[in-house]
Amino acid sequence: MKSYLLIPLFFLYLGCTSPPLPVFPTTEGICPKSDLFVLSQPEIDVQTGNDLVGIYCKANITPIGFEWEVSLVFRDEIHPSTWKDFFYRIYRRIRYGRTYDIESFLVRLEPDGKTFQLDLKNVYSGDQIFQEDPVVHKDKILSSSLLENRNSLPILYVNTWNHMFGEKDNNPGLSKQEIQISEFRFGSRTQLDGYFDTN
């Protein structure tokens, strides 16, 4: 590959930043402040710039009860391999219009108001570890009763570098940062995708 061809790629790489996080007008479907669960994320992920920067939620009423669509926004999705990350972030900026990593799932509240089900469609880690490459996006519905607890709150583990979730810690040798998920910005995944598609 000719070295002069790398120049436009380099400038595209430098320009791979995301616009600011949006604030959507509040309408029906506000998720109340609630101590929902604890997110346990490897510290190495946070230190490399993949920290959690926003939590969006849209509440819906379904035939079987209340359902929350939760979208976790991480600052980035940095690939463990430096050279793969270079091209991966260019691809993501072109494909998604952002370098933020947005992972969404459904929380279905049980009638008792204390337990819930997590529908981790396309964001379940299975047994994959942090350095897994490539990562397979799996599906799983988990009852909150199957999750470990910390101070009476269920724990959801970030198990892979691209933020796939699980009910158990697949990386016990990695130090963790824990974040209590309790306050939300209003917004659906559709709104978030639409915002970044136009910016």
Side-chain angles (χ1 to χ4, degrees):
M1 182 181 217
K2 302 288 186 185
S3 59
Y4 63 84
L5 294 177
L6 292 175
I7 295 172
L9 278 179
F10 180 71
F11 282 105
L12 185 56
Y13 176 82
L14 289 179
C16 287
T17 57
S18 294
L21 288 178
V23 176
F24 298 114
T26 303
T27 61
E28 292 181 358
I30 299 169
C31 297
K33 183 181 185 309
S34 174
D35 295 332
L36 195 57
F37 58 85
V38 171
L39 187 73
S40 180
Q41 182 180 5
E43 277 188 359
I44 189 173
D45 199 35
V46 174
Q47 292 164 355
T48 56
N50 293 341
D51 51 312
L52 186 68
V53 293
I55 307 164
Y56 288 82
C57 187
K58 171 77 167 59
N60 300 300
I61 299 175
T62 71
I64 58 171
F66 289 101
E67 182 177 272
W68 294 0
E69 181 191 60
V70 176
S71 295
L72 303 181
V73 183
F74 297 89
R75 188 176 307 278
D76 210 328
E77 185 180 80
I78 298 171
H79 197 289
S81 165
T82 304
W83 73 269
K84 286 184 180 180
D85 183 64
F86 180 88
F87 294 100
Y88 184 56
R89 80 182 39 260
I90 293 171
Y91 162 77
R92 287 176 57 236
R93 184 67 173 126
I94 293 168
R95 173 71 175 84
Y96 301 111
R98 56 180 164 81
T99 54
Y100 293 120
D101 178 32
I102 305 174
E103 303 296 349
S104 301
F105 51 84
L106 297 175
V107 178
R108 297 192 181 100
L109 303 180
E110 301 284 8
D112 63 12
K114 297 177 182 177
T115 57
F116 55 86
Q117 287 186 336
L118 287 179
D119 186 345
L120 301 175
K121 183 176 177 59
N122 207 39
V123 294
Y124 181 63
S125 65
D127 293 327
Q128 297 173 104
I129 61 171
F130 185 74
Q131 295 288 342
E132 199 87 26
D133 184 29
V135 177
V136 178
H137 290 240
K138 301 183 178 189
D139 302 338
K140 182 88 171 193
I141 297 177
L142 295 174
S143 169
S144 58
S145 61
L146 297 177
L147 302 178
E148 295 176 18
N149 278 270
R150 181 93 72 245
N151 299 324
S152 300
L153 285 177
I155 304 173
L156 186 63
Y157 289 98
V158 176
N159 281 321
T160 64
W161 61 270
N162 67 338
H163 309 124
M164 298 291 102
F165 310 110
E167 73 276 28
K168 59 185 175 53
D169 182 3
N170 295 348
N171 303 282
L174 298 180
S175 299
K176 306 296 186 302
Q177 176 173 303
E178 295 187 346
I179 305 137
Q180 187 167 311
I181 305 300
S182 58
E183 294 192 53
F184 311 95
R185 300 182 186 203
F186 172 78
S188 68
R189 179 59 186 262
T190 300
Q191 288 174 301
L192 284 166
D193 288 341
Y195 170 81
F196 288 110
D197 283 347
T198 59
N199 280 286

